[in-house]
Amino acid sequence: MTALRGYGKRVMVTGGAGFLGSHLCERLLARGCEVLCVDNYFTGSRQNVAHLLDNRLFETMRHDVTFPLYVEVDEIYNLACPASPVHYQHDPVQTTKTSVHGAINMLGLAKRLNAKILQASTSEVYGDPSVHPQPEDYWGHVNAIGPRACYDEGKRCAETLFFDYHRQHGLPIKVVRIFNTYGPRMHPNDGRVVSNFIMQALRGEPITIYGDGSQTRSFCYVDDLVEGMLRFMDTGAEHTGPLNIGNPGEFTMLELAEKVLRLTGSSSPIVHKELPQDDPKQRRPDIARAKALLDWEPQVPLDEGLARTIAYFRQRFVT
């Protein structure tokens, strides 16, 4: 990747002030792109992009993607949607609207501009999987009426819309399915396991594990995730996805808790609570397609990524 690969290209990132979006904006600016960061600041934060505001190629806009947007850009990354259970279950109807109406509005804009558009989908489209690890051709095992359905089904419907726009209108699309991602700028109270464990450990509070701790997740450091997204966007129009982007390393919740305790030097006890409804028992991406197409695979080991994330949380949130 050369620094000037995107020189002069106008790129819009919806959800650009969020955890993933802010890192993506940084990388696009480093390429020489003009970047329009669009966010309604429900879960995103101005602080995540404050260090970018002096860059003459960077612009922010407060906007909710459930309403149409009329701008002129060359590429669109559609990341707008609350992504943690605490946030997406706060207003489940609005979560579904963000995924579905947001996709319709961004696809309509892309169609008018004939702009390449990438949808940030999720491993949640696989639900509580009966196939392990999860390849892209697995259709999933999702409860369509459960408390997580606003996010799971909203993202599934967004994928449907993307592929129908591609088939019906010839729109150049990219669909990535993002697996658990972590790193600096995560929201400290988003309920996701990495931020939960780190904040609890740094504050000396009990580490909360739901269920017996044997359920697994695969954790991808944010820099690796963004690199995969950028490489996929750079591919030709014939490559639409869906494409898994994540780290195939698989860890139980107990293993993660023990790593966080060791890396923070915390003596917090571990406590167990009831497993939430429809919480997946295992999650691990099959990234064979990404490796073959993009020559990509994660580079940051979990211990190293956790150490960077802990340092951020310690400096930013713990006095």
Side-chain angles (χ1 to χ4, degrees), residues 121-236:
S121 190
T122 173
S123 62
E124 296 297 335
V125 300
Y126 299 121
D128 189 4
S130 55
V131 172
H132 192 73
Q134 293 80 58
E136 290 89 348
D137 57 5
Y138 173 54
W139 289 359
H141 177 222
V142 176
N143 178 1
I145 59 172
R148 301 171 66 100
C150 59
Y151 186 66
D152 301 4
E153 293 291 359
K155 289 288 192 177
R156 285 162 70 95
C157 184
E159 287 196 12
T160 300
L161 286 162
F162 266 70
F163 278 92
D164 282 340
Y165 264 78
H166 173 67
R167 285 186 287 259
Q168 188 169 338
H169 302 296
L171 190 68
I173 67 164
K174 307 287 181 183
V175 175
V176 296
R177 291 175 176 167
I178 297 172
F179 282 68
N180 292 64
T181 305
Y182 70 100
R185 299 187 209 135
M186 292 185 80
H187 196 291
N189 301 313
D190 66 5
R192 285 188 266 198
V193 65
V194 172
S195 50
N196 263 7
F197 284 2
I198 291 175
M199 290 302 295
Q200 288 170 340
L202 291 176
R203 290 171 173 168
E205 300 169 352
I207 302 289
T208 305
I209 290 181
Y210 295 93
D212 62 7
S214 63
Q215 65 270 34
T216 66
R217 295 291 185 273
S218 301
F219 302 101
C220 185
Y221 190 67
V222 62
D223 290 356
D224 287 330
L225 186 282
V226 170
E227 177 68 21
M229 291 175 68
L230 289 168
R231 291 194 189 192
F232 189 37
M233 190 61 129
D234 288 341
T235 60

Side-chain angles (χ1 to χ4, degrees), residues 279-294:
D279 192 64
K281 308 299 186 303
Q282 54 186 1
R283 185 62 58 72
R284 178 188 172 191
D286 181 331
I287 62 168
R289 285 189 188 179
K291 291 172 75 171
L293 176 62
L294 309 178

